[in-house]
Amino acid sequence: MKFGIFYELQLPRPWQEGDELRLYQNALTQLETADRLGYDYAWVVEHHFLEEYSHSPAPESFLAAASQRTKNIRLGHGIFQLTTNHPARVAERVAVLDLLSSGRCEFGMGESASITELTPFGIDMETKREVFEEAVQAIFPMFTKVGTEHHGKYFDIPLRNVVPKPVQKPHPPLWMACSQLPTIERAGENGFGALGFQFVSADAAHAWVHAYYNAITKRLKKLADYEINPNMALVSFFMCAKTDEEARARADGATFFQFALRYYGASQNRQRPDPGTVNMWDEYNKWKRENPEAQEAALRGGLIGSPETIAKKLRRFRTSHIDQVILLNQAGKNTHEHICESLELFAKEVMPELQKDPEHDAWKKGVLGGAIQLEEIDTEAFRDRYGKLAINVAPTQKMAAG
């Protein structure tokens, strides 16, 4: 099992001078710490205009900085929005990051899920999948060919040589953002690694792994000429401390993250509030006061607890054959000190048992080679992206930002 860390670069209100500077510098220190401790991946999102939820519009810049402060950890776009970036610029930036990191770039792709992000770039919800798929077709020849051109519905690119070329040949490993079961299956069909941005139980993970690997082995339909990347990763809320109680007390950011996600997701086309009209941190604290039991239940989910508690949960995920668990630690107002202590304790007391897994390697080889046939599990019961312990939120009336 591989382990990654995940960054939205969240910054709840109230905002003070220097907060964004501190956010970025602390996150880079956390990546440096994770690299030293032997974590496998660092994933950084691309989002635009999402107050409080994500201050990460330029992951290529952040990852480039991280490449100079780390040696071994893989640096992942989780994800690059192919809908809001020109294909040539995507190919250029991915290649530059691969060069700067000496071949440690992971290329995750996605569409964006909100008209708040898409509309300013001239993209709508109805066509975003078409734009994504055409961008994929345009990008991959740019990594390998001396000259490429593309003439499509959304992009018209004359003959040019896109330079530089990536270190990894023919290109860095490919991933796709997956927020629901149908996109997990779609990632498999397209031959992409699945970045599962869900928070699910081990039982659900088992069903989703079967759906993914059945899609990639039985229903493969590549969008272009690229190397497939048969891997499935799931994100989990994370905080490791000496006791379960201490971990939960330090993990308030996990429920803020869920609250913001559900608050946004309940609106039409996931439209975010107009700038300055909602103070998400105040809304969250109001919800928390009114729903203490729901908050406590949410903190019992994910990988939040003592090393013993987290190891027990991960042993169940190992039987589901998840390739990578991505740990979401930077959320809400979780402190830099607690995040670093959590990474240290987990790496010391949990990771060594789980990182080496020859049984999983043999299972995966058997599945991909056809020696192991996976059953087609009925996944209807496992379609909730949030899980049984997740909070439920309906957006309330807009309030002025503080």
Side-chain angles (χ1 to χ4, degrees):
M1 186 180 289
K2 303 289 187 182
F3 292 99
I5 55 176
F6 178 66
Y7 284 83
E8 295 272 4
L9 295 173
Q10 292 203 329
L11 190 63
R13 286 183 169 91
W15 296 328
Q16 304 295 330
E17 187 71 30
D19 282 352
E20 288 180 321
L21 174 62
R22 192 174 305 109
L23 171 69
Y24 269 75
Q25 295 301 323
N26 283 347
L28 286 171
T29 299
Q30 291 157 24
L31 260 68
E32 196 172 1
T33 300
D35 180 56
R36 172 177 57 80
L37 293 170
Y39 287 81
D40 302 290
Y41 293 85
W43 297 99
V44 181
V45 304
E46 177 185 354
H47 279 309
H48 302 277
F49 320 119
L50 303 187
E51 299 180 314
E52 302 185 72
Y53 182 76
S54 176
H55 289 230
S56 180
E60 68 279 3
S61 297
F62 179 87
L63 291 168
S67 74
Q68 303 306 292
R69 294 177 57 166
T70 58
K71 296 180 180 179
N72 300 305
I73 198 167
R74 305 286 300 177
L75 301 173
H77 281 282
I79 47 75
F80 223 132
Q81 291 183 2
L82 300 194
T83 47
T84 62
N85 291 279
H86 190 277
R89 295 293 285 135
V90 173
E92 290 167 344
R93 292 168 184 173
V94 167
V96 168
L97 177 60
D98 208 38
L99 290 165
L100 290 172
S101 64
S102 298
R104 289 185 283 136
C105 176
E106 300 279 321
F107 182 19
M109 302 169 285
E111 300 172 359
S112 179
S114 164
I115 62 174
T116 298
E117 295 188 75
L118 292 169
T119 301
F121 296 99
I123 307 298
D124 56 48
M125 295 288 283
E126 291 70 32
T127 60
K128 69 188 182 83
R129 178 169 176 174
E130 290 182 10
V131 175
F132 171 88
E133 293 185 351
E134 186 179 322
V136 169
Q137 293 161 5
I139 287 168
F140 285 95
M142 297 174 180
F143 288 134
T144 58
K145 298 185 183 301
V146 171
T148 67
E149 58 186 309
H150 177 90
H151 306 286
K153 182 177 179 180
Y154 298 101
F155 303 104
D156 189 40
I157 308 170
L159 181 64
R160 295 291 188 275
N161 184 17
V162 175
V163 291
K165 305 299 186 190
V167 175
Q168 300 175 88
K169 305 300 183 187
H171 49 71
L174 308 180
W175 301 79
M176 186 176 112
C178 305
S179 59
Q180 300 177 60
L181 183 59
T183 48
I184 291 275
E185 295 168 333
R186 181 179 150 204
E189 289 176 0
N190 292 160
F192 301 140
L195 284 173
F197 296 132
Q198 318 82 354
F199 314 98
V200 299
S201 67
D203 290 338
H206 177 76
W208 290 28
V209 165
H210 276 232
Y212 173 76
Y213 276 102
N214 278 329
I216 203 169
T217 56
K218 300 176 184 178
R219 296 179 282 277
L220 183 65
K221 294 179 293 186
K222 295 200 298 182
L223 299 175
D225 183 16
Y226 48 74
E227 284 195 359
I228 68 169
N229 179 33
N231 280 284
M232 182 163 177
L234 285 181
V235 173
S236 179
F237 296 116
F238 171 65
M239 182 64 76
C240 186
K242 292 180 180 179
T243 67
D244 291 349
E245 293 74 21
E246 187 177 11
R248 290 170 190 165
R250 293 180 170 194
D252 184 68
T255 41
F256 172 79
F257 189 104
Q258 289 185 62
F259 176 87
L261 202 60
R262 294 301 288 260
Y263 188 101
Y264 288 151
S267 61
Q268 185 176 9
N269 289 334
R270 297 185 184 176
Q271 182 173 7
R272 282 37 171 169
D274 291 338
T277 59
V278 168
N279 183 319
M280 191 65 67
W281 184 251
D282 283 354
E283 291 285 303
Y284 165 63
N285 280 288
K286 177 184 176 184
W287 172 87
K288 193 165 62 171
R289 288 191 298 271
E290 295 172 353
N291 300 274
E293 294 180 358
Q295 191 217 12
E296 290 174 10
L299 289 173
R300 292 197 299 272
L303 299 173
I304 297 172
S306 67
E308 295 79 12
T309 295
I310 293 176
K312 183 177 179 180
K313 290 184 177 183
L314 281 172
R315 290 183 195 114
R316 291 200 64 206
F317 272 97
R318 182 165 59 183
T319 65
S320 304
H321 291 294
I322 293 294
D323 293 294
Q324 180 186 162
V325 173
I326 304 174
L327 306 168
L328 172 57
N329 211 7
Q330 192 281 316
K333 296 194 177 185
N334 290 355
T335 70
H336 173 62
E337 292 73 22
H338 290 167
I339 291 169
C340 290
E341 288 174 15
S342 181
L343 291 171
E344 294 265 6
L345 188 60
F346 181 84
K348 179 182 178 181
E349 299 196 18
V350 182
M351 277 200 334
E353 174 193 344
L354 296 157
Q355 276 188 309
K356 304 296 183 183
D357 192 354
E359 289 185 12
H360 172 73
D361 296 340
W363 173 89
K364 185 170 180 175
K365 183 178 179 181
V367 169
L368 295 174
I372 298 175
Q373 295 292 316
L374 300 179
E375 64 175 313
E376 297 277 0
I377 296 176
D378 181 0
T379 55
E380 189 60 37
F382 305 110
R383 289 180 176 264
D384 182 2
R385 70 176 292 197
Y386 300 102
K388 295 179 181 179
L389 297 177
I391 65 177
N392 190 25
V393 174
T396 55
Q397 193 171 12
K398 291 181 179 180
M399 59 180 291

